Amino acid sequence: MSEVRNVIIIGSGPAGYTAGLYNARAMLNPLMFGGYMSGGQLMLTTDIENFPGYPEGISGAEMMMQLRQQAEKFGLEVHDKDVSKVDFSSSPFTVTVEGEEYKSHAVIISTGAEAIWLGAENEDAQKGRGISVCATCDGAFFRDQEVLVIGGGDSAMEEATFLTRFASKVTIIHRREVFRASKVMLDRAKTHPKIEMKMHRQVKTWLSDDNGLTGAILEDPRDGSTEEIGVTGAFIAIGHKPITKFLDGQVETDESGYIVAKEHTMTSVPGVFAAGDVVDTRYRQAITAAGMGCQAAIDVEHWLENNIHN
Ligand code: NAP
């Protein structure tokens, strides 16, 4: 049987790296599977200006590299590979990666969540070049510009209202007439002088030139009629999906797939912990994910002391 690790961390965003740093400094010899696209959602953002300690801002990719270097310095072992399945039915747990099985007494799940993109024509080319899925991250880059927000839920209303701090005009488009957003957030957006709402519209094609986004062709789903809108920024706010499919239902999740924390950061399976956006339906910030990663690492230390190494 292969060596049994103290802790395997699955996922390499700020939650995972922070957990790795803490567990490495506690001499737990943690092993991380960071995914083929390690670094998480922040690899997609431009400058991060709201993480304390970086007065000049820092690019998402650079921050992830630094978090990784710091954790590796203290002994975190990172493999940029995806976990295909887990078996939490017996202890030690089994984590399968590229057909190979790894055993561990504890596991931290920090696989994050991914924003749902629209998948409209020309979208991939404009991701990070005018089209964003995070107003908190990228809103300040659109000072005095006209921007589009797509969605009819609380996220769309919140993003649109936040964007009015920077943008000269915010147009919300929603594909139907009924909104999922709560009344208070909808009313706040509806009555804001900088916000215009257009119902029965969805993005058919993103328009761009060498400098980035220039607008979009909008389509009315009822009759297929189209119109063009000129914007230099667009924020897709149609929801997030947590990355929990590989767990195959072994850990309790809510109806949207987010892991439910049972006792501090511990999940429904004792010895399995979760941190960051994979549990967080509310804050979804790098700093909150990092904080939760720290909490999970400390919870793992205590759990190992009380259950394995006692
Ligand atoms: P949501 O409530 O599921 O709303 C998603 C919206 O996107 C819906 O209006 C949906 O339209 C639209 N949409 C989905 N797929 C689309 C597509 N392919 N093309 C065009 N539109 C599409 O998601 P959310 O707004 O992210 O909110 C998620 C949860 O977090 C909610 O429980 C919400 O209350 C909560 N939240 C709370 C706050 C807050 O309280 N401060 C802030 C943000 C989020 P349809 O309605 O037509 O399906």
Side-chain angles (χ1 to χ4, degrees):
M1 195 172 112
S2 62
E3 170 199 13
V4 180
R5 307 291 293 229
N6 286 309
V7 55
I8 288 179
I9 300 165
I10 307 174
S12 56
Y17 284 137
T18 306
L21 172 66
Y22 270 74
N23 280 166
R25 294 190 76 253
M27 309 300 278
L28 291 175
N29 192 25
L31 170 62
M32 171 185 281
F33 293 108
Y36 298 120
M37 303 268 290
S38 64
Q41 287 190 82
L42 286 181
M43 300 297 280
L44 281 181
T45 59
T46 43
D47 287 341
I48 300 170
E49 293 175 330
N50 55 6
F51 199 101
Y54 295 92
E56 306 304 325
I58 182 170
S59 81
E62 203 182 340
M63 175 185 275
M64 288 305 104
M65 201 181 68
Q66 290 187 0
L67 290 186
R68 178 173 178 151
Q69 279 172 352
Q70 190 177 353
E72 283 179 331
K73 184 174 124 184
F74 290 99
L76 175 68
E77 183 183 336
V78 186
H79 297 260
D80 292 330
K81 292 177 178 175
D82 279 357
V83 169
S84 55
K85 63 175 179 182
V86 293
D87 183 355
F88 295 153
S89 62
S90 59
S91 180
F93 305 127
T94 307
V95 172
T96 305
V97 178
E98 294 182 354
E100 231 175 289
E101 292 188 346
Y102 295 80
K103 302 279 181 191
S104 184
H105 294 301
V107 169
I108 296 176
I109 302 163
S110 51
T111 40
E114 49 190 352
I116 304 170
W117 293 79
L118 279 175
E121 287 163 33
N122 196 26
E123 189 162 294
D124 283 345
Q126 295 310 311
K127 281 181 185 173
R129 298 186 70 243
I131 307 179
S132 168
V133 285
C134 177
T136 318
C137 320
D138 298 327
F141 301 113
F142 296 91
R143 224 170 270 278
D144 300 324
Q145 299 178 44
E146 298 197 7
V147 302
L148 192 64
V149 171
I150 299 100
D154 281 338
S155 293
M157 301 310 129
E158 192 170 64
E159 303 256 290
T161 307
F162 177 76
L163 284 163
T164 58
R165 297 183 196 185
F166 314 102
S168 53
K169 180 179 176 188
V170 180
T171 305
I172 300 176
I173 61 160
H174 180 35
R175 62 184 176 184
R176 58 190 181 122
E177 218 157 45
V178 179
F179 286 85
R180 285 181 200 270
S182 54
K183 191 176 177 323
V184 60
M185 292 180 76
L186 181 61
D187 284 350
R188 196 175 298 147
K190 264 186 175 165
T191 55
H192 197 288
K194 275 190 180 178
I195 296 179
E196 185 187 346
M197 298 226 182
K198 284 177 184 258
M199 266 69 90
H200 300 294
R201 299 286 194 289
Q202 56 194 22
V203 176
K204 186 170 188 288
T205 309
W206 295 108
L207 304 172
S208 58
D209 64 15
D210 289 348
N211 296 320
L213 192 73
T214 57
I217 298 173
L218 306 182
E219 186 178 53
D220 185 333
R222 293 170 302 181
D223 58 12
S225 60
T226 58
E227 68 174 295
E228 213 176 291
I229 186 169
V231 286
T232 46
F235 291 82
I236 299 171
I238 61 170
H240 282 76
K241 51 171 194 256
I243 302 172
T244 47
K245 220 171 142 199
F246 70 100
L247 296 170
D248 200 24
Q250 292 180 70
V251 167
E252 188 181 325
T253 58
D254 68 11
E255 68 278 4
S256 308
Y258 286 91
I259 294 175
V260 176
K262 287 289 178 185
E263 192 187 324
H264 305 295
T265 61
M266 196 157 77
T267 68
S268 57
V269 180
V272 177
F273 299 77
D277 285 9
V278 76
V279 271
D280 184 2
T281 55
R282 187 174 173 86
Y283 302 105
R284 299 181 187 135
Q285 301 297 300
I287 187 72
T288 53
M292 232 189 285
C294 161
Q295 293 172 323
I298 291 171
D299 289 343
V300 161
E301 275 176 53
H302 291 163
W303 187 85
L304 288 170
E305 264 166 35
N306 293 330
N307 295 279
I308 306 291
H309 302 313
N310 54 5

